């Protein structure tokens, strides 16, 4: 099963979110580096999905104007497709 999680990091440390999720025993789908699996066992990655991580928004102070900047983005199509497929799978399991 998979769960959509909202994370709000306060720093930009390398792999911070990926490490924390592994520490909670909920590694990110498609994360080959922090999957929690040994190198001899491939990580579970749905075909063609890659790492299921995306930033819905980013905020920072512009380096020249010092104005606050916030950017928003929709999930990539592969992300939305995967979540729709998993939702259908979950509903089938619930109805059986």
């Amino acid at each position: 099963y998979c769960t959509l999680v909202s994370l709000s990091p306060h720093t930009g440390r390398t792999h911070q979110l990926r490490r924390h999720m592994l520490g909670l025993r909920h590694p990110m789908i498609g994360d080959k580096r922090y999957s929690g699996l040994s190198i001899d066992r491939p990580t579970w990655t749905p075909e063609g999905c890659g790492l299921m991580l995306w930033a819905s928004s980013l905020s920072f102070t512009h380096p020249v104007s010092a104005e606050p900047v916030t950017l928003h983005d929709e999930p990539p199509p592969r992300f939305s497709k995967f979540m729709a497929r998993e939702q259908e799978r979950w509903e089938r399991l619930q109805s059986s």
Side-chain angles (χ1 to χ4, degrees):
Y1 308 107
C2 68
T3 302
L4 180 62
V5 178
S6 177
L7 304 169
S8 300
H10 296 281
T11 65
R13 301 188 88 153
T14 303
H15 304 195
Q16 174 186 12
L17 301 177
R18 295 164 63 188
R19 288 179 182 176
H20 282 288
M21 292 306 295
L22 177 60
L24 294 171
R25 301 179 61 96
H26 293 282
M28 294 181 186
I29 294 172
D31 192 342
K32 293 178 181 173
R33 184 173 201 157
Y34 297 103
S35 67
L37 300 174
S38 73
I39 200 152
D40 298 330
R41 253 176 70 200
T43 183
W44 179 75
T45 303
E47 183 138 351
C49 273
L51 179 62
M52 297 299 285
L53 175 64
W54 120 88
S56 61
S57 67
L58 295 171
S59 296
F60 59 92
T61 302
H62 192 279
V64 176
S65 68
E67 294 290 322
V69 176
T70 299
L71 306 170
H72 298 278
D73 197 14
E74 294 297 317
R78 67 180 175 82
F79 191 96
S80 301
K81 278 184 182 176
F82 177 81
M83 291 305 294
R85 193 169 58 238
E86 287 300 302
Q87 181 65 36
E88 288 174 18
R89 190 169 79 103
W90 176 251
E91 289 169 3
R92 278 195 311 272
L93 285 170
Q94 293 298 308
S95 65
S96 55

